Amino acid sequence: MAAPRKRTITTDDRTIVRPPTAMRVFTRWTTDDLEIAEALTMGGSLWRAADLCWALLGDSRVWAAAETRVKGLLSLPLSWDESGDGRSSGRVARALADGDFWLAHSEAALFALALWGIILGVGLAQRVWMEAPSGRLVGVLKPYDLRYLRWDKFRRVWVVKTELGDVDIVPGERRWVLYAPSCSGEPDGDERPWMYGAWRRCGRPWLLKYLGLGDFGHHSEVHGSPIRTADYDAAAAGTTGTAVSKTGGGTSGSSGSVVADLGDKLANTGGDSTIIPPRGWRIRFVEATANTWKMFPAEVDLAAREIVIAITGQASSTEIQQGQETGATLHGTVRGDLIRADALTLSTCLHDRCLADYAELNFGSRDLAPWPRWKTDPPANIAARGNAMKALGDGIVSLDRVAPEGKRVDRAAIFEEAGIALEKIPAGAVTTHAATPRRTDSQSVVNISTLSTVKAGAGQGGPDDLFRRFFEDFFRRHGGGPGGPGGPGGEDEEDA
């Protein structure tokens, strides 16, 4: 029986820690800002790096790739690996599965913790302890802004800035949860987990896209509208060409006031404007003809690819490409090894920093804390597996044809190696195959792969007959039924 419950939660443990009042965040980023953010992290300050991460998360491509990676993991089936005494550990796992786990660790909180662990390299959350409807104590996970986390390299301790001042994160206390996928065990600032964050690989491509889109907009503003100008032809003007200037006086066609007046009219040209130029003047629109605009989409595409590679580990796009029937395959673009690694590191973090305290407070021992396990195995492709099994059957038939006399392929060994489960046919069961009569004539079989004609021996028949004979022979070896030992149509009896 488990030891009596140890309820040592204080009033402070039930209180939410508030961050300081938010300070202004720079909204215009340059290459100098990136370098400053990287330089500050060398001293343990994550303030500017966290600002950059917030800016990165405002980009649709960064957000889509990160959301796919994290939410794809959290949407997988969750099970529990029990630990400690069998009966007691089972009670802890059942209590968590019955609702305590999701009450304490909501999907949104886990998403934020894992997201920042991937993007910045370290995630931070606090636990606010409360009594669940079941009567057990749970530490509710609440994300904390990473702008207020720093590593004190002189004292070698993590420090969190709160509205009441700086607070040290002491190993073993029940308030703070740090998730650093690149660290072993308790996240250690000496390991510089922020250096492994995706922000260092996404920053410059994102800035290229960020500045490129601004340049694209300015380019479109200049080149999207033609330049409006006018040319004066003295020969066409003659001697009577006059126009009323903006000062109201009559002037010659080439006077400065006429030029100014016509320039104002061209500048104010709108959708319904009409201009009658003075005699001798011709209005002309000058449009850009070069394809210089193509550099901007190329910049954006290059940045998008670099961002997706940095977060998902491969260059698959988050948008549907030509030739794809659906977008289903696009949302599984995260490399499988990254998904498995995320599942393992997040499981370790939750076990060591959250579930161990839960087990100790409610069941008397930290050793009873189970391990959360997300099922990261990819779903089976039934169609591909069916095609592979059919190809395996065809291959066995082909090998039997070229085997030495008196020999054939060991079906049972091949099926075992291929992972194909076998069972005996129940007595009286109806099989889907029928006995194949012995062929006595010679038949030509077309080898499709080589487009050549192969002469089949007597009694072998065509490919369909050979395929049926393979399964008849297989069932004769592994069970009874029609075509089995002693059944009708049997051809090759097994040796006693």
Side-chain angles (χ1 to χ4, degrees), residues 67-400:
E67 188 180 39
T68 298
R69 177 170 171 178
V70 177
K71 289 188 176 179
L73 169 64
L74 298 180
S75 63
L76 296 176
L78 178 64
S79 60
W80 301 94
D81 287 350
E82 299 176 3
S83 177
D85 176 72
R87 184 173 60 179
S88 298
S89 63
R91 292 173 55 210
V92 180
R94 286 192 297 271
L96 290 168
D98 288 343
D100 281 0
F101 179 79
W102 295 114
L103 177 62
H105 313 90
S106 67
E107 292 88 346
L110 290 177
F111 172 76
L113 184 66
L115 177 72
W116 282 92
I118 293 170
I119 298 297
L120 183 59
V122 57
L124 176 65
Q126 60 174 312
R127 284 178 294 171
V128 181
W129 289 87
M130 58 171 285
E131 187 170 324
S134 62
R136 292 180 287 267
L137 293 170
V138 295
V140 179
L141 206 64
K142 295 185 176 294
Y144 202 85
D145 194 343
L146 270 296
R147 301 177 72 241
Y148 304 113
L149 176 69
R150 63 182 176 88
W151 170 254
D152 190 330
K153 63 180 182 179
F154 299 104
R155 296 190 298 131
R156 285 181 166 75
V157 63
W158 290 103
V159 180
V160 179
K161 183 182 290 294
T162 72
E163 63 179 357
L164 300 179
D166 291 349
V167 176
D168 293 348
I169 297 181
V170 180
E173 52 86 30
R174 296 194 177 110
R175 166 68 68 178
W176 301 102
V177 176
L178 283 170
Y179 170 56
S182 62
C183 288
S184 56
E186 189 76 21
D188 187 347
D190 287 340
E191 296 180 88
R192 301 194 298 176
W194 55 83
M195 298 297 289
Y196 299 91
W199 68 280
R200 299 187 66 242
R201 297 178 292 279
C202 293
R204 284 170 175 79
W206 168 81
L207 186 61
L208 174 66
K209 177 182 177 182
Y210 175 75
L211 298 178
L213 288 175
D215 294 339
F216 196 6
H218 181 65
H219 183 275
S220 300
E221 180 182 358
V222 174
H223 292 265
S225 299
I227 299 174
R228 290 158 285 186
T229 184
D231 300 322
Y232 179 71
D233 187 349
T239 58
T240 61
T242 60
V244 178
S245 70
K246 60 183 178 180
T247 60
T251 61
S252 64
S254 59
S255 67
S257 59
V258 170
V259 174
D261 183 53
L262 184 57
D264 288 345
K265 291 179 180 179
L266 291 175
N268 296 325
T269 300
D272 298 325
S273 299
T274 301
I275 299 177
I276 301 176
R279 183 184 299 273
W281 288 88
R282 295 180 181 178
I283 297 176
R284 184 164 54 91
F285 293 88
V286 181
E287 295 181 295
T289 59
N291 292 328
T292 54
W293 61 270
K294 292 184 177 180
M295 72 177 74
F296 300 107
E299 286 182 359
V300 173
D301 291 343
L302 173 62
R305 286 194 300 271
E306 292 296 318
I307 288 171
V308 171
I309 292 173
I311 297 176
T312 67
Q314 55 189 18
S316 299
S317 176
T318 55
E319 62 189 21
I320 298 177
Q321 300 291 336
Q322 183 178 3
Q324 290 175 327
E325 299 298 331
T326 68
T329 56
L330 296 178
H331 298 286
T333 57
V334 181
R335 259 185 16 219
D337 58 327
L338 294 182
I339 286 289
R340 291 189 292 272
D342 291 343
L344 291 174
T345 56
L346 188 59
S347 172
T348 300
C349 173
L350 294 176
H351 174 270
D352 295 349
R353 301 294 300 137
C354 300
L355 302 182
D357 290 334
Y358 170 85
E360 181 181 22
L361 290 171
N362 296 289
F363 297 91
S365 174
R366 301 175 65 87
D367 296 335
L368 297 177
W371 296 79
R373 297 298 187 196
W374 280 274
K375 181 177 175 57
T376 58
D377 297 331
N381 189 329
I382 303 300
R385 183 168 175 81
N387 292 333
M389 293 174 68
K390 184 179 184 304
L392 176 63
D394 293 343
I396 292 176
V397 172
S398 299
L399 290 174
D400 277 344

